[in-house]
């Protein structure tokens, strides 16, 4: 992406330096549950401007009157949680680094979520990376004019609101067992917000409590990390315990679970932008495109890439019994643009947006990146490959 920085980084890279970097990442909390890539992604200003223009166009749609009515159907039956607020505290936008028909690199939106990401871990990652490799001058992982201190201050303000840390929890399903548990440990350290499993909640009337050092402590605010779809894959006793989350509760959510569905694949057909692939609800397509090789078929209510049909055929479309729950999306051409010691890598960049109470709009704050040499981004497509996995992007300021 930035040839001079890429050449200098690759020339200076050593396995010993990378191993030392990994040691620090793995030794402070718990070992990482995912592979770390050997490099960050260097992003020039002209490319980042296109990313943020696309993000802001999506925010414009979210702010339009009637957005909630348009997206009510996005919330699966029996998944709606009460006391939804008027906006999502957090949004994550995933962009692929792609190549257009003219061979020019451009970002293309892959997915988005009204849901948190690895917000605290990225601070730790940035710190450790800078210790071992040094972040180039005029580049930063922090966005929107933020730095380490102001980023953490904003994150703390949004998650805690007006409450004390002991009255705020990070809620997950068996958090210590999650692949993203490194972020939960970082959250505990930076914000003093404890991770709590849904099975540990105590309900009294409309109030929730948890045991904090053996003492029942009132929960006033939930930093939600539960993907509610995943509750249905749990043992019956876990599902039964989680039913209390659908009751009328005296608690504030950050971000409210309903926004996970409202800002998702479901929203893509509502947006038109050069850096957002053409997307249509399958049930609204009257004529199946003749060039299906240029499309991908995605279920609306399946996550983490499950159920996606990459090589779409007419038969795939015709046999779908519920086309209202699927989208047909124009394929994007990922560019193998990250030079590595062997084959070049592809990349996706996730942009974090934070929405502070009382602010008219959310703002960009930080990012993460993933590198791949497989057909798709993800661990199962990159077995036995190096210079792939989790990372972050450094944006020219």
């Amino acid at each position: 992406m930035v040839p001079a920085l890429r050449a200098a980084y690759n020339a200076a890279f050593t396995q010993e330096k990378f191993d030392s970097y990994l040691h620090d990442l793995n030794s402070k909390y718990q070992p990482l549950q995912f592979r770390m890539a050997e490099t960050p992604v260097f992003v020039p200003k002209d490319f980042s401007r296109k990313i943020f223009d696309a993000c802001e166009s999506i925010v414009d749609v979210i702010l339009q009157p009637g957005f909630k009515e348009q997206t009510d159907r996005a919330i699966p039956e029996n998944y709606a949680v009460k006391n939804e607020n008027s906006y999502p505290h957090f949004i994550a936008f995933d962009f692929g680094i792609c190549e257009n028909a003219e061979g020019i690199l451009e970002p293309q939106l892959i997915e988005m979520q009204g849901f948190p990401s690895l917000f605290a871990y990225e601070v730790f990652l940035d710190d450790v990376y800078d210790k071992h490799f040094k972040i180039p001058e005029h580049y930063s992982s922090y966005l929107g004019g933020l730095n380490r201190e102001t980023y953490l201050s904003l994150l703390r303000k949004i998650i805690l609101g007006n409450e004390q840390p002991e009255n705020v929890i990070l809620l997950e399903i068996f958090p210590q067992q999650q692949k993203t548990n490194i972020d939960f440990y970082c959250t505990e350290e930076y914000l003093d917000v404890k991770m709590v499993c849904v099975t540990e909640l105590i309900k009294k009337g409309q109030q929730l409590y948890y045991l904090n050092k053996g003492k029942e402590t009132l929960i006033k605010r939930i930093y939600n990390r539960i993907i509610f779809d995943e509750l249905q894959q749990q043992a019956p006793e876990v599902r039964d315990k989680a039913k209390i989350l659908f009751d009328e509760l005296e608690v504030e959510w950050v971000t409210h679970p309903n926004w996970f569905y409202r800002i998702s694949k479901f929203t893509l057909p509502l947006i038109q932008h050069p850096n957002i692939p053409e997307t249509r609800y399958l049930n609204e397509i009257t004529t199946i495109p003749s060039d299906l090789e240029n499309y991908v078929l995605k279920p609306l209510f399946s996550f983490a890439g499950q159920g996606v049909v990459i090589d779409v055929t007419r038969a795939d479309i015709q046999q779908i019994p519920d086309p209202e729950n699927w989208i047909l999306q124009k394929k994007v051409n990922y560019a193998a643009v990250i030079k590595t010691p062997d084959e070049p890598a592809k990349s996706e960049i996730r942009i974090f947006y934070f929405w502070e109470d009382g602010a008219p709009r959310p703002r960009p704050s930080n990012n993460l990146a993933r590198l791949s040499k497989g057909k798709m981004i993800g661990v199962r497509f990159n077995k036995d490959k190096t210079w792939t996995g989790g990372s972050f992007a450094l944006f020219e300021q």
Side-chain angles (χ1 to χ4, degrees), residues 13-21:
F13 180 87
T14 67
Q15 188 62 44
E16 291 75 20
K17 184 185 293 187
F18 182 62
D19 288 344
S20 180
Y21 166 65

Side-chain angles (χ1 to χ4, degrees), residues 199 231-243:
T199 61
L231 285 172
Q232 309 312 310
Q233 303 169 22
Q234 304 301 313
E237 58 270 21
V238 178
R239 297 201 303 270
D240 288 343
K241 183 68 177 180
K243 287 178 181 177

Side-chain angles (χ1 to χ4, degrees), residues 24 77 162 165 179 182 309 330 338 386:
D24 281 3
E77 190 176 357
N162 296 317
K179 288 184 178 180
I182 182 66
V309 181
K330 214 55 178 302
I338 312 297
T386 59

Side-chain angles (χ1 to χ4, degrees), residues 290-327:
S290 58
D291 59 337
L292 283 176
E293 68 275 10
N294 294 321
Y295 289 84
V296 60
L297 191 61
K298 295 181 178 181
L300 286 174
F301 305 116
S302 176
F303 301 91
Q306 297 179 0
V308 174
V309 181
I310 299 293
D311 301 312
V312 187
T313 66
R314 183 174 291 268
D316 290 327
I317 293 175
Q318 292 173 335
Q319 68 186 9
I320 290 176
D322 56 342
E324 70 278 6
N325 294 327
W326 290 74
I327 55 172

Side-chain angles (χ1 to χ4, degrees), residues 51-52 54-60 62 88 90-96 108-115 117 119 263-264 267-268 271 276 348-354 362-364 366-368:
I51 288 180
F52 298 128
C55 291
E56 294 298 327
S57 74
I58 297 168
V59 172
D60 288 341
I62 296 168
F90 302 119
I91 311 174
F93 299 107
D94 289 349
F95 288 89
Q108 285 291 326
L109 185 78
I110 306 302
E111 252 182 308
M112 56 185 175
Q113 297 175 339
F115 194 75
S117 190
F119 296 154
I263 301 176
S264 65
T267 322
L268 291 176
I271 307 162
I276 299 175
E348 282 184 4
I349 300 172
R350 173 172 294 177
I351 303 296
F352 305 161
Y353 263 62
F354 288 2
R363 60 184 293 187
N366 206 326
N367 79 93
L368 62 78

Side-chain angles (χ1 to χ4, degrees), residues 97-116:
I97 299 176
C98 300
E99 192 173 61
N100 64 20
E102 288 73 42
I104 298 171
L105 292 180
E106 63 177 12
Q108 285 291 326
L109 185 78
I110 306 302
E111 252 182 308
M112 56 185 175
Q113 297 175 339
F115 194 75

Side-chain angles (χ1 to χ4, degrees), residues 28-29 184-193:
K28 184 171 182 180
Y29 302 105
F184 308 154
Y185 289 108
C186 291
T187 302
E188 286 193 340
E189 175 167 339
Y190 296 141
L191 306 185
D192 200 24
V193 171

